Structure formats: C-alpha cells, structure tokens
Amino acid sequence: MDSIQTVLVTGGAGYAGAVLVPKLLAAGYRVRVLDLYLYGKHVFDDCRSAMLEEFEGDLRDSAIVARAVSGCDAVIHLACISNDPSFELNPVLGRSINLDAFPPLVKLSREAGVRRFIFASSSSVYGISDSPDVTEDHPLRPLTDYSRFKADCEPILLEQQSPEFTTLVLRPATLCGYSPRQRLDLTVNILTNHAVCNRRITVFGGSQLRPNFHVEDMADLYLQVLKEPAERIGGQVFNAGYENHSVSALALIVKQVVEKELECGSIEIVTTPSDDLRSYHISSAKIQRVLGYRPRRSIEDAVRGLVTAFRSGMLPDSMTRSTYFNIKRMQEVDLK
Ligand SMILES: NC(=O)c1ccc[n+]([C@@H]2O[C@H](COP(=O)([O-])OP(=O)(O)OC[C@H]3O[C@@H](n4cnc5c(N)ncnc54)[C@H](O)[C@@H]3O)[C@@H](O)[C@H]2O)c1
C-alpha cells in the first residue's frame, strides 16, 4: 500500500490539533484542516505554507466535508464540541456535531478513497469505575451526552473496517500542557493557571483519580498510528494515557513545579470537601503491548511548559479570556 501523504484533521485548529498540525507538516505530510475556528485563526500563524490547506466551515456541511476530504489518504477526526459541561449549553447542537455529523463524515471519507480513519474518542466513555484498571473491554457507561456520543460513534466507524479502510479508535485521557490554542479548562491546566496567577490552588475533594496525557504525546501518537501497518491498528480501540494521579497529587505536582520555576514563595493548596468524589483509572497497557507506545512526557513537563508560556507572555488574560474556556466561548459565539 502507498504511504500516507495527505491528512485531513477535522477540528485541527483546536487544542490538540494546534499541536498536531505543525508536527504533521514538519514530518512532511500535506495537511488539510476543516474547522470552524471557534477559538481563533491565529494558531497556524507560525506554520502556514503551501503544505497546509485550510477549510473554514462546519463539519455538518457535507459540501465542504466532501471538498476537504477529496484526495486525502487519512482522516484524523478531532472536531467536536469538547468538554462535558459544554453540553449544558445546547444538547441539540452537541448531538448534531458530535453524533449526527459522524456517519456522513465516515461515508464521504470512504467514497473519497481515504484509507485510514482515526477517531478521537475519550476515556470518559467508561464513566466512573471502581475497577483498579479500566481496560478497553470494560463496559461503557457514559455519564454525559458528550461521552455517550463518543461511545455511539465508535461502532459506527469500526463496522466499516476493511482491508481498504483502516479504522482506529483512540480513547485519550484528559490532555494537559501548552498548545498554541490553549485550553485552561482541563484539570492540570486549571491548577497551573491558578497557581501562577493567584498563588493559590483550590482542590475539591482531592482523592478522585484522574488520568492525564501530555498534548505533545497525544500528537506524537497520532503521527505514530499514521505509520503503523494496517494489520496492527485496523478495527482496534486503544486507551491512551500517562499515569493516573489523584487530584490532590496533581495539585502537589503543580505547586512544586510552579514554586521552583517561578522562584516564588509558597503556593497555597486549599482543600474543600466535595460530594463529587467520582474516580476513574485507565490502563494503557494494551497500546504499549501492541504498538510499543509509551508516553514520553510527564505531568511535571506539562506544568513546566505552561509556566514557560506564562513567563513569555503567551497566555495573556488567562483568568478571563473566553477562548481559553470552551463553555465561555461557546456561549459567546452562540453557534446553532
Ligand atoms: N482535550 C482533552 O482533554 C481530550 C481528551 C480526550 C479526548 N479528546 C477529544 O480530542 C478531540 C480534540 O479535543 P480538543 O481539546 O482539541 O478540543 P477543542 O475544543 O480545543 O477543539 C475542537 C475543534 O473543533 C472545532 N469544531 C467544533 N465544532 C465544529 C464543527 N461543527 N465543524 C468544524 N469544526 C468544529 C472547534 O472550532 C475547535 O477548533 C475532541 O474530539 C475531544 O473530544 C480531548
């Protein structure tokens, strides 16, 4: 089979995509991005070239999807109304983008001759589990619409698996670290923002386990699976995460790294009781066993990267600017 040369990244201007797209370009791929650019167009200012084609439009518009996917060898599907609480905004909108637009995207991709389709699902599809190690065959008990639609999309893609159309589902843990399209509404990033700006972190509960994954590792994994032989990834589902830490342990890591990097006084951790002590713990043993994949970056690395970005003035108005916070931004744009 010919190697993959042209890759469509839906949602490529988002948090994960803004790290992935420059890496794809640097690796020599021709890249298409289909995105509504809800969080701004600036993310590609440093990497625009003839190798990058941008399609500003809606995943729900089959005409633009057909144009964007035409001539592509692979699709990495990231576009999404992300973050569970975003669904509090408008459940109909969430469904239309995260579920209803998915079968037409897969169909148009197949018809266009795409040979590899990678879907960014989420480790939140498992819901909350007491199991010490949630592996890929653990029952899915999604707790929110966001997670339910992710779970519903997975079989829609996997049933299209064939020698000509390689399908892969990744279930990443919560991402962390710096991206040119920064999100500051994800656990480690929230804690770091508060530590840097307020010198104080509030932890609700704290015993809950939360798996995390560096956004750079996420991007590297997408690059790796573009190169894997089809037999190793076709029809597969993989969890992808770094270590599982309790929220209290994450807060302590953030406190220590920020104090050291900023050479500031002590950062206070305030723990308040919480009713929501839901915990989960994912196993990433399968991806290590089958693909030899291991994350290379730690939570400390993610926090250090963020502190560097703060120090360099790359994250201005970090407590207030809406584009760092998906829900705030979605309320502002009032997408229909
Ligand atoms: N960030 C995480 O912690 C995490 C964890 C697990 C899985 N994921 C999944 O990874 C993917 C990327 O996450 P992210 O954090 O980069 O999200 P993000 O919100 O930063 O990016 C999503 C992108 O999709 C675009 N988009 C939204 N609706 C669209 C539409 N109708 N048409 C075209 N573009 C549209 C947005 O403009 C945005 O650029 C998502 O599918 C998400 O569910 C993310």
Side-chain angles (χ1 to χ4, degrees):
M1 186 189 282
D2 295 340
S3 68
I4 286 164
Q5 292 172 7
T6 306
V7 182
L8 170 65
V9 186
T10 72
Y15 175 57
V19 175
L20 170 63
V21 167
K23 282 185 190 265
L24 287 168
L25 291 167
Y29 292 101
R30 302 186 77 84
V31 182
R32 308 256 181 92
V33 168
L34 170 62
D35 202 299
L36 277 172
Y37 294 87
L38 294 173
Y39 304 96
K41 292 207 79 167
H42 65 282
V43 294
F44 301 129
D45 284 355
D46 294 336
C47 69
R48 284 205 169 86
S49 76
M51 297 292 276
L52 174 63
E53 274 180 89
E54 294 174 77
F55 296 75
E56 184 171 358
D58 198 311
L59 185 69
R60 295 169 294 175
D61 171 358
S62 338
I64 198 164
V65 172
R67 279 209 308 282
V69 84
S70 159
C72 287
D73 305 305
V75 172
I76 301 176
H77 177 45
L78 308 179
C80 180
I81 304 297
S82 303
N83 200 2
D84 288 344
S86 310
F87 278 90
E88 285 161 13
L89 298 168
N90 178 352
V92 176
L93 174 75
R95 186 189 164 100
S96 72
I97 296 173
N98 292 9
L99 182 59
D100 298 342
F102 189 67
L105 172 68
V106 174
K107 182 167 181 282
L108 287 167
S109 300
R110 284 202 70 159
E111 287 169 2
V114 164
R115 288 177 279 124
R116 187 163 292 207
F117 193 113
I118 299 153
F119 172 51
S121 182
S122 163
S123 59
S124 67
V125 291
Y126 300 112
I128 298 303
S129 172
D130 292 337
S131 164
D133 257 333
V134 173
T135 53
E136 289 79 353
D137 51 7
H138 187 284
L140 306 190
R141 299 194 192 98
L143 295 170
T144 62
D145 277 357
Y146 166 82
S147 311
R148 195 167 307 119
F149 297 151
K150 289 286 187 197
D152 289 348
C153 285
E154 292 186 1
I156 294 172
L157 177 64
L158 294 174
E159 68 197 17
Q160 298 296 321
Q161 165 65 32
S162 75
E164 296 75 41
F165 191 64
T166 301
T167 60
L168 172 65
V169 170
L170 295 176
R171 293 180 181 155
T174 304
L175 301 178
C176 57
Y178 175 75
S179 161
R181 155 14 198 175
Q182 190 60 50
R183 283 186 68 175
L184 293 172
D185 55 358
L186 302 166
T187 316
V188 170
N189 300 357
I190 297 172
L191 296 172
T192 308
N193 190 21
H194 284 255
V196 170
C197 297
N198 301 335
R199 301 285 194 265
R200 182 186 158 105
I201 306 172
T202 305
V203 172
F204 297 95
S207 60
Q208 315 92 312
L209 286 172
R210 288 286 180 269
N212 284 278
F213 194 33
H214 199 300
V215 66
E216 297 268 349
D217 278 339
M218 178 80 258
D220 288 347
L221 176 57
Y222 286 124
L223 267 95
Q224 177 174 338
V225 297
L226 285 177
K227 290 206 179 297
E228 287 289 345
E231 312 77 73
R232 280 224 282 209
I233 61 162
Q236 292 287 334
V237 177
F238 292 115
N239 291 341
Y242 178 67
E243 292 162 5
N244 298 274
H245 288 286
S246 68
V247 177
S248 293
L250 291 172
L252 198 59
I253 292 173
V254 169
K255 169 185 161 69
Q256 286 165 347
V257 173
V258 174
E259 283 173 356
K260 180 156 180 263
E261 293 294 309
L262 292 185
E263 295 176 17
C264 59
S266 175
I267 287 165
E268 191 185 2
I269 299 182
V270 181
T271 304
T272 63
S274 168
D275 292 341
D276 183 6
L277 294 177
R278 295 175 307 167
S279 207
Y280 63 110
H281 183 277
I282 64 161
S283 162
S284 299
K286 179 181 172 191
I287 197 164
Q288 189 180 327
R289 191 175 65 246
V290 178
L291 303 185
Y293 176 79
R294 268 175 197 273
R296 290 195 295 135
R297 299 165 183 89
S298 62
I299 308 295
E300 284 84 348
D301 292 331
V303 179
R304 267 192 292 273
L306 286 167
V307 173
T308 304
F310 275 110
R311 256 206 306 239
S312 326
M314 288 149 85
L315 297 172
D317 310 321
S318 67
M319 299 304 287
T320 51
R321 191 173 283 192
S322 62
T323 49
Y324 300 128
F325 305 96
N326 281 14
I327 296 172
K328 263 194 208 170
R329 181 63 183 154
M330 291 301 295
Q331 280 165 339
E332 207 172 69
V333 296
D334 195 23
L335 181 66
K336 297 287 183 242

